[in-house]
Amino acid sequence: MAFIVSAAILAYMSGPMTRRAERVHLPEQQQPQPQPQPPPTPAPVPFPAQRQAAEPVVPVAPVRETAGAEDRVRDAGFPGRKLLEDFDESHPLAFDRETVARLGKLDFVTARRNVVFTGPPGTGKTHLAVGLGVRACQAGHRVLFATAAEWAARLDAARAAGRLTEELADLDAYPLLIVDEAGYTSFDPAATALLFRLVAHRYERGSLIVTGDRPPARWDEVFGGPSVPAMVDRLVHHAELVRIEGDSYRTRRATGVWAD
């Protein structure tokens, strides 16, 4: 009997003790456990050189290609197919990227303005001229490309045939003419006079892109005769002049081959 009474007393006392223990430990169990925080992500460090490499070479807006574009590119007489987007701007020491991007919109063609690229040999002048010419062909414009010496020979043949005026009028069908390598060879007064006729006829009538190794202000060093100042005056009056500085890209590649 004493055993039964003792058991009952223990059972009665264990209930309150258990509830007290639950009241003691329950708040600790309900408290939210702190979550481990990830280490802070360091702010990215800008690398200008890497950003520049990731950007398009020349960020020109895409041109909407019209029907017959490839025929116009083929008939233009380009020495090769060059694109503005492929121009290696990391090579020249000085290069007006923004101006070339603006020229890539071809507003200068519709406005009958000119473009003059000057700089040492091998700095990409012809590449840029052809790149603009290709874009003009894609946009629906007819283009003709030739060196300054070739243009002089073409006009001289027309003069000899007695149809120089007609030849210049026929060129009006081409909104853009490209005159490459002006200044690399000397021109006598007769050849200079023919090129003056071309520039004067195109004045405010059609666009010219001219490339050369020296600015037009120094053309009297290679062009002879009294028509040089008048030719320069008409050429640069409505023109974008883009100067490119640096060493020859071709020489650099050749030096690299020998170094390897």
Side-chain angles (χ1 to χ4, degrees), residues 22-225:
E22 290 176 351
R23 285 196 299 270
V24 172
H25 295 289
L26 183 58
E28 296 181 359
Q29 295 175 356
Q30 290 180 345
Q31 292 178 359
Q33 299 296 322
Q35 298 296 326
Q37 298 295 324
T41 303
V45 179
F47 293 96
Q50 293 181 3
R51 284 202 307 268
Q52 183 177 6
E55 296 174 352
V57 176
V58 177
V60 293
V63 63
R64 183 175 181 179
E65 189 165 322
T66 60
E70 289 306 312
D71 292 337
R72 289 188 291 273
V73 171
R74 183 185 63 250
D75 296 339
F78 298 125
R81 189 184 185 97
K82 305 289 186 180
L83 301 178
L84 291 183
E85 296 84 349
D86 296 335
F87 181 70
D88 183 8
E89 74 162 11
S90 65
H91 171 60
L93 296 180
F95 168 63
D96 193 343
R97 175 179 181 172
E98 288 74 17
T99 297
V100 174
R102 185 175 68 254
L103 293 173
K105 300 177 181 179
L106 303 177
D107 293 340
F108 77 96
V109 178
T110 56
R112 300 182 178 91
R113 297 176 62 88
N114 302 326
V115 179
V116 180
F117 291 109
T118 65
T123 51
K125 302 181 299 296
T126 300
H127 185 138
L128 293 174
V130 172
L132 289 173
V134 169
R135 290 180 67 84
C137 290
Q138 293 171 338
H141 303 295
R142 298 180 68 190
V143 180
L144 274 183
F145 176 100
T147 66
E150 291 169 342
W151 279 114
R154 175 173 180 159
L155 297 175
D156 185 55
R159 180 196 58 77
R163 58 177 313 275
L164 178 58
T165 301
E166 290 80 359
E167 176 70 10
L168 293 172
D170 290 344
L171 293 175
D172 290 342
Y174 297 87
L176 177 60
L177 302 181
I178 300 177
V179 182
D180 196 31
E181 298 180 354
Y184 286 98
T185 58
S186 298
F187 291 83
D188 59 27
T192 300
L194 290 171
L195 291 175
F196 164 73
R197 289 287 303 272
L198 176 64
V199 172
H201 182 82
R202 299 289 294 184
Y203 179 69
E204 297 183 341
R205 182 182 282 115
S207 295
L208 289 168
I209 295 179
V210 180
T211 74
D213 64 341
R214 65 200 72 197
R218 293 174 49 199
W219 277 11
D220 57 349
E221 299 173 0
V222 291
F223 292 97

